[in-house]
Amino acid sequence: MFQTMRLVVVSGPTREWIDPVRYISNASSGRTGWELARAGLSRFASVLLISGPGEEQFRALHGAETRRVETTADMAEATAAAIGDDCLLIMAAAPADFRPSNPASSKIKKTQTDMLRLDLAPTTDILRSLIPRASGLQNLIRVGFAAETDNLLEYAAAKMKAKDLDFICANEVFRDQQGFGDRVNTIFLIDRAGNSKTIGPLKKSELAPALLDQIESAMPQLLQRNNS
Ligand code: CTP
């Protein structure tokens, strides 16, 4: 079913610079996205991995095209340029939601001030900016992630609706050592109708093919819905 489709996976954190030596980022390693891209190699016509600056080992993948990005704006631009018709987009990235509105061009010295206040401006919500009905694309299937510490299913459902996603993969972070960077995880895969399927706990390398299996089995209905 995936054989004629392209897979675009976006992974890892982004960096938003405060001054030339400091940035805002998060603990995403990029492993989940990398595992999904790897699991897609034997299933899709082509695979593109767009990666932010997570762990270096998860930024290259033999057999896939790769694109390295740094800021959320770079990631948004690379993702918009990569998607098209007959494409599965999986946003496994953890882009920074805010960026310093006036990054300093020289290193900020601690002797300059007693109190440092950072003004932050929102970055682009990448998934929200790529809603297919607005872009006119055919057969673009979009899957998001919701990594939460509380109210997992409630927050995930709200994100799915706000971003008009075909699926959202909800997972808890910072609990039982699962989530960011770790090897074992459980995902609750939620579809538009609100049905939820539990995948795991499994190693991320096993979770990725299991997740693609579930999405693949729903593909005929998804394509039919998106084309009607
Ligand atoms: N995402 C995105 N663009 C952003 C931030 C997030 O496309 N600027 C995507 C993520 O890759 C993920 C989904 O949106 O697939 C949900 O991301 P998450 O960080 O869980 O939620 P946010 O929408 O950023 O909301 P909040 O941080 O308030 O939980």
Side-chain angles (χ1 to χ4, degrees), residues 122-151:
T123 56
T124 307
D125 186 318
I126 301 170
L127 275 177
R128 217 170 174 153
S129 71
L130 300 173
I131 293 179
R133 264 178 278 136
S135 58
L137 292 172
Q138 294 274 312
N139 296 343
L140 169 64
I141 305 297
R142 295 173 322 127
V143 179
F145 272 73
E148 308 288 351
T149 53
D150 312 280
N151 304 331

Side-chain angles (χ1 to χ4, degrees), residues 10 12 72 75 90-98 123-130 143-148 155 159 163 165 168-169 180:
V10 189
T72 300
M75 188 176 268
I90 304 184
M91 274 297 294
D97 291 322
F98 290 91
T123 56
T124 307
D125 186 318
I126 301 170
L127 275 177
R128 217 170 174 153
S129 71
L130 300 173
V143 179
F145 272 73
E148 308 288 351
Y155 285 157
K159 279 177 193 176
K163 301 181 195 227
L165 301 174
I168 195 150
C169 306
F180 277 0

